[in-house]
Amino acid sequence: MQALAATQVQAQLAQLSGWTLAADGLSISRSYRFADFCNAFAFMTRVALAAEKADHHPEWFNVYNRVDVRLTTHDASGLTGRDFALATVADAAAQALGAAPASVAGDAA
């Protein structure tokens, strides 16, 4: 598997909302904020099931109602279509669970 070129990454990123490209260009990340821990955990469960099926797993961090997600393809040493596909799954799961953008690191209670 080969990493996407920078122009391909930018084109894919333009299709997403709220995702940020790392300074080194090797990963994308986003934070989500949910009403409570149960919704945050439900989000992680939905994404985990899709990730396992795709054999492509996120790096993530959860504190109470906030989930921070980082996607990269380690085997390609960069971003691939698998990262953007999983980002789309994550966004759909978050929307279904009523997530709000988590723009401040201290949002979680």
Side-chain angles (χ1 to χ4, degrees):
M1 181 171 303
Q2 190 168 1
L4 297 172
T7 55
Q8 294 171 304
V9 167
Q10 289 300 328
Q12 292 282 334
L13 194 58
Q15 302 299 312
L16 300 174
S17 178
W19 288 86
T20 303
L21 181 65
D24 62 9
L26 300 179
S27 65
I28 55 173
S29 61
R30 180 168 183 186
S31 294
Y32 299 96
R33 188 179 64 240
F34 298 88
D36 53 29
F37 176 75
C38 288
N39 282 322
F41 194 83
F43 164 78
M44 292 178 74
T45 301
R46 288 183 186 193
V47 174
L49 291 170
E52 185 65 18
K53 186 175 182 178
D55 193 28
H56 189 63
H57 305 91
E59 297 176 16
W60 50 18
F61 179 77
N62 166 243
V63 175
Y64 183 60
N65 66 339
R66 192 184 80 237
V67 181
D68 302 330
V69 182
R70 180 178 174 269
L71 299 173
T72 189
T73 302
H74 296 284
D75 292 343
S77 298
L79 290 161
T80 67
R82 298 173 84 187
D83 299 300
F84 292 98
L86 192 54
T88 301
V89 168
D91 285 347
Q95 183 177 10
L97 292 163
S103 57
V104 178
D107 280 349

